[in-house]
Amino acid sequence: MVSLTLIVPVLNEEILLPEFLAKTVQDLDAGGLDWELFLVDDGSTDSSYRIMADFAASDERVQVIKLAQNCGPGANLHEAYSLATKDVAAYATVDRFYDTALLPSLLHYFKDNDVVSAYRTDLKSHPGFRKLQTMINVYLQRLLFPYEFKAVHTLQIHRTDFLQGADLRAQTPFLCSEMLYKATEAGLKIAEVPIEYLPR
């Protein structure tokens, strides 16, 4: 199985962090993975950085990257992608838009694919405005770009060599779309896999 760099941006998550870190490491170990975990402090003003630093001190597979300022979604992933050393890289959020226990099973798709794009199913619990935002976003991207994906803001797992050579530019959540589009342009084989939606 391929090895994994998991990247987690963190901004003021002191309440959720301890449980998230314990579960994530348990999930990665239970899956028998060769892994490293990069925790990206995106300008936290609470005790998040201290919690991450203490956790990293107890496990050499965990590193903390402290950004000089809040960079926001998308931009806060760039440095971690550049530092990744494992075969593939993915990201997660502390408030769990997916269950990290899924990662070992998703990595099996790399036997026949170069990219895994795991899209969430059954968005019924999304608030109405959030559903509208998602629909508009998907429609605009399908209008502007000649790609057919079931979703673009997904749990994406990419080969690290691709990420480090793709000249990624987006500094916003559009980074998800950019990665999929550039993978397509590079001729990489993408597996789209449905996963359960976790309400947040």
Side-chain angles (χ1 to χ4, degrees):
M1 189 184 303
V2 295
S3 58
L4 174 69
T5 299
L6 184 63
I7 299 164
V8 181
V10 178
L11 175 62
N12 296 336
E13 297 280 10
E14 63 183 5
I15 294 174
L16 300 177
L17 257 176
E19 180 182 349
F20 170 83
L21 292 171
K23 180 185 183 326
T24 298
V25 168
Q26 179 181 359
D27 290 342
L28 297 175
D29 282 341
L33 301 182
D34 173 11
W35 60 268
E36 64 185 359
L37 175 62
F38 288 170
L39 303 170
V40 182
D41 182 64
D42 194 16
S44 294
T45 56
D46 64 1
S47 63
S48 293
Y49 178 75
R50 179 186 56 76
I51 294 169
M52 291 186 286
D54 289 347
F55 190 81
S58 68
D59 193 325
E60 61 183 12
R61 300 168 296 180
V62 181
Q63 297 182 48
V64 180
I65 300 170
K66 187 169 179 58
L67 302 181
Q69 62 187 14
N70 175 251
C71 296
N76 55 23
L77 298 174
H78 283 268
E79 184 174 353
Y81 282 145
S82 74
L83 297 173
T85 67
K86 301 301 183 182
D87 298 324
V88 300
Y91 80 94
T93 59
V94 177
D95 62 350
R96 299 181 61 213
F97 78 98
Y98 71 91
D99 188 345
T100 49
L102 293 172
L103 287 167
S105 63
L106 292 174
L107 294 186
H108 286 290
Y109 285 91
F110 279 92
K111 288 193 293 186
D112 302 305
N113 299 279
D114 304 298
V115 180
V116 173
S117 176
Y119 61 94
R120 294 170 294 173
T121 59
D122 189 12
L123 301 181
K124 290 177 185 171
S125 60
H126 252 0
F129 181 69
R130 188 85 182 275
K131 287 180 184 174
L132 180 62
Q133 280 183 310
T134 300
M135 289 170 57
I136 292 172
N137 181 39
V138 170
Y139 174 77
L140 285 175
Q141 292 197 49
R142 287 180 176 166
L143 185 67
L144 294 171
F145 300 101
Y147 304 103
E148 290 292 334
F149 294 113
K150 292 182 174 67
V152 288
H153 291 288
T154 61
L155 159 57
Q156 293 182 35
I157 312 174
H158 290 270
R159 286 179 9 202
T160 301
D161 60 350
F162 161 73
L163 291 173
Q164 294 175 344
D167 189 27
L168 298 173
R169 299 293 184 92
Q171 301 287 310
T172 67
F174 186 76
L175 182 64
C176 290
S177 306
E178 182 186 6
M179 291 190 295
L180 278 183
Y181 297 164
K182 286 188 171 177
T184 302
E185 292 294 323
L188 300 182
K189 187 174 180 184
I190 300 171
E192 292 190 276
V193 182
I195 59 174
E196 181 183 358
Y197 173 70
L198 293 180
R200 294 189 285 171

